[in-house]
Amino acid sequence: MKTVLTIAGSDSCGGAGIQADLKTFSALGTYGMSVITAVTAQNTMGVINVREMDVEIVRDQIDCLFDDIMIHAVKIGMVSSVEIIETIGSCLRGRTDTPIVLDPVMVSKSGCHLLRPESTEALSKVLFPLAEVVTPNLFEAEVITGQKINNIDGMEEAAVKIHDLGARNVVVKGGHLAGDAVDVLYDGLHFDYLKGTRFDTPNTHGTGCTFSSAIAAYLAGGFSVPEAVREAKKYISGAIENSFALGHGVGPTHHFYALYRKAGVYNE
Ligand SMILES: Nc1ncnc2c1ncn2[C@@H]1O[C@H](COP(=O)(O)OP(=O)(O)OP(=O)(O)O)[C@@H](O)[C@H]1O
Ligand SMILES: Cc1ncc(CO)c(N)n1
């Protein structure tokens, strides 16, 4: 059994964060584990409250898993503060056998800061050099590089800059650009373009969490980075195509549509 660990925040409505990550790991046939960095009170309309975990419990969650279990890949999502970032860095540094996918989560779709603005520099300094893959969305790539991005050329420029900060592979996600949902993968030498149909749905809660978790699950399964990113793109596209309305705001993607159909589950 391949194992994948998510280090991220809890989303009480289950569409993003730890909950989306664990659903993705399960749907892709891996065994999921979690380290919670913060608890958010969140629904489909927004984030109501955030409580960060203290660094001792973050450290103990990570260390006790590595002390006991072979971990085939790690995904990092919401990390919130400089202290939590430094703790994660010191726990993971040296564990070079385990590929790390870093989703540099900054602000929720509803506009709530999930990363304290003063933590941006620590995120790139401490965690980028540990990451096999970093997956910024357009806004995050703009904050990290200090440059506005309006098109694919801008995404390529940002990918190069983020690679220079130490990430071995960078996927700049084009989910927030108009037109097809095209993401740019850069490995330090070549660009690769992940093209996807854009689905006209408001229900995109947790798309970034799901995409990065799928990359981690495929890396755990032994796929190369380009293969893992390509398969993850197929997975997130299907999950968005089958997303559904929930609550009064931005609904979640569907992780299990393919499995449900195969198993004849009709009580959706
Ligand atoms: N409407 C859509 N149709 C198809 N693909 C989409 C759509 N929106 C986003 N994507 C794809 O979903 C993946 C996640 O990208 P996105 O830019 O939405 O992440 P994000 O902004 O980090 O998400 P999050 O809300 O979790 O922070 C990318 O592969 C992107 O191209
Ligand atoms: C806990 C959490 N992590 C990530 C996201 C994605 O923006 C979210 N909404 N909530």
Side-chain angles (χ1 to χ4, degrees), residues 149-160:
I149 303 172
N150 300 309
N151 50 33
I152 302 275
D153 286 350
M155 291 167 75
E156 288 176 355
E157 279 172 35
V160 172

Side-chain angles (χ1 to χ4, degrees), residues 6 14 17 19 27 31 39 41 49 64 76 114 149 176 195 228 260:
T6 171
Q19 290 79 356
Y31 180 79
V39 173
N49 203 351
C64 77
I76 303 175
L114 300 175
I149 303 172
H176 299 268
K195 295 191 181 132
Y260 280 15

Side-chain angles (χ1 to χ4, degrees), residues 2-268:
K2 299 299 180 189
T3 61
V4 194
L5 168 64
T6 171
I7 303 175
S10 165
D11 168 8
S12 50
C13 78
I18 287 281
Q19 290 79 356
D21 300 344
L22 291 174
K23 290 172 197 178
T24 304
F25 298 158
S26 298
L28 294 175
T30 58
Y31 180 79
M33 295 172 283
S34 64
V35 166
I36 298 184
T37 54
V39 173
T40 71
Q42 186 173 171
N43 60 24
T44 64
M45 294 184 291
V47 179
I48 290 91
N49 203 351
V50 177
R51 187 74 31 92
E52 286 170 0
M53 299 292 103
D54 64 57
V55 293
E56 186 190 315
I57 192 69
V58 173
R59 189 188 59 229
D60 286 351
Q61 289 177 85
I62 300 174
D63 284 349
C64 77
L65 294 175
F66 276 98
D67 284 348
D68 182 37
I69 299 168
M70 172 73 199
I71 298 174
H72 296 103
V74 173
K75 172 251 160 88
I76 303 175
M78 174 184 178
V79 288
S80 212
S81 70
V82 173
E83 293 74 20
I84 293 177
I85 290 167
E86 284 174 348
T87 301
I88 295 170
S90 70
C91 291
L92 295 183
R93 214 167 284 123
R95 302 197 190 275
T96 47
D97 288 348
T98 312
I100 297 170
V101 180
L102 172 65
D103 185 12
V105 172
M106 291 183 184
V107 179
S108 72
K109 284 215 163 82
S110 57
C112 174
H113 283 275
L114 300 175
L115 178 74
R116 292 170 182 265
E118 69 271 19
S119 310
T120 311
E121 199 184 326
L123 179 73
S124 56
K125 272 209 175 128
V126 176
L127 296 182
F128 283 17
L130 301 179
E132 189 61 33
V133 186
V134 178
T135 62
N137 66 17
L138 281 196
F139 167 76
E140 291 152 358
E142 286 179 350
V143 171
I144 295 160
T145 62
Q147 256 179 264
K148 193 95 194 98
I149 303 172
N150 300 309
N151 50 33
I152 302 275
D153 286 350
M155 291 167 75
E156 288 176 355
E157 279 172 35
V160 172
K161 285 195 173 167
I162 295 168
H163 183 270
D164 289 347
L165 291 170
R168 286 186 284 287
N169 296 272
V170 182
V171 182
V172 180
K173 298 173 291 189
H176 299 268
L177 270 186
D180 283 345
V182 180
D183 308 328
V184 174
L185 168 64
Y186 181 61
D187 65 1
L189 289 174
H190 308 104
F191 293 105
D192 204 348
Y193 305 89
L194 303 146
K195 295 191 181 132
T197 307
R198 173 174 300 280
F199 298 104
D200 186 15
T201 170
N203 302 318
T204 55
H205 189 78
T207 48
C209 304
T210 299
F211 181 57
S212 52
S213 294
I215 298 173
Y218 282 112
L219 289 179
F223 286 60
S224 67
V225 169
E227 287 167 350
V229 170
R230 237 157 236 298
E231 291 304 315
K233 178 71 175 172
K234 285 187 212 157
Y235 179 77
I236 184 61
S237 294
I240 295 172
E241 187 177 10
N242 290 278
S243 64
F244 53 97
L246 183 81
H248 298 89
V250 177
T253 67
H254 197 323
H255 297 269
F256 297 105
Y257 69 94
L259 295 173
Y260 280 15
R261 252 162 235 166
K262 213 167 158 193
V265 175
Y266 296 115
N267 60 344
E268 287 187 57

